[in-house]
Structures are given as C-alpha cells and as structure tokens.
Amino acid sequence: DLQQFKTELFSELKNILSGHSNQPRKWLKSYEVREMLNISPGTLQNMRVHGAIAFTKIGGLTFYAYEDIIKLMESKNKEARR
C-alpha cells in the first residue's frame, strides 16, 4: 500500500510541476524585472520611489507582480507607437 501511495504521489507531483512550468511565475525578483525591462538597478529604484512600478517588500527582498510588469511593458509599447 505504501509503495502504491508513493508511486501515485510522485506521479501527481510530476504532473503538477510539469504543468506549472508552462505558466509564468506570479512574482519576480528585482534582477528578473531589470532583465525584462533592460534597465539598471538605479532606474528600477527610481521607478519604485516615484510609483511607476508596484512592488512588495518581504524582509530584504523586493518582489514584483508578473502581470504588472507585462502591463507596464505593453503601455510603454503603445506610447512608443504614437
């Protein structure tokens, strides 16, 4: 019974992990946002200070919502087209 439970558990975990890898993570770290936006640490800090980008600070780490970054990129793209 335990062997069967173990097999089913590992199978379930594999399904969860493989399905999750196709979706973007909900939260990004600062270095990931800087890479996405191609900006320096100072620019990212200025964006936080001036409210141009939403963030959540937990302990010493700063996190950004993936959706917010995509919306920011889309809005900047629309502005560039004008």
Side-chain angles (χ1 to χ4, degrees):
D1 287 339
L2 286 177
Q3 184 63 35
Q4 182 180 357
F5 174 74
K6 176 183 167 185
T7 304
E8 290 174 7
L9 179 63
F10 279 124
S11 176
E12 185 89 16
L13 288 172
K14 283 180 186 178
N15 288 336
I16 291 170
L17 292 175
S18 67
H20 182 68
S21 65
N22 293 336
Q23 299 174 358
R25 292 192 344 250
K26 182 174 171 95
W27 297 101
L28 302 171
K29 293 183 179 178
S30 293
Y31 79 91
E32 295 169 312
V33 174
R34 289 193 323 262
E35 288 177 2
M36 286 177 73
L37 300 178
N38 194 28
I39 59 175
S40 70
T43 300
L44 184 57
Q45 181 179 358
N46 283 334
M47 292 174 77
R48 285 194 311 264
V49 168
H50 295 292
I53 192 167
F55 66 96
T56 300
K57 197 154 186 136
I58 301 174
L61 298 175
T62 306
F63 295 96
Y64 306 84
Y66 177 81
E67 289 179 14
D68 291 344
I69 304 305
I70 296 301
K71 287 177 188 174
L72 179 67
M73 291 172 69
E74 288 173 350
S75 71
K76 293 298 179 187
N77 192 21
K78 286 179 185 177
E79 287 176 15
R81 288 184 197 166
R82 292 181 186 176

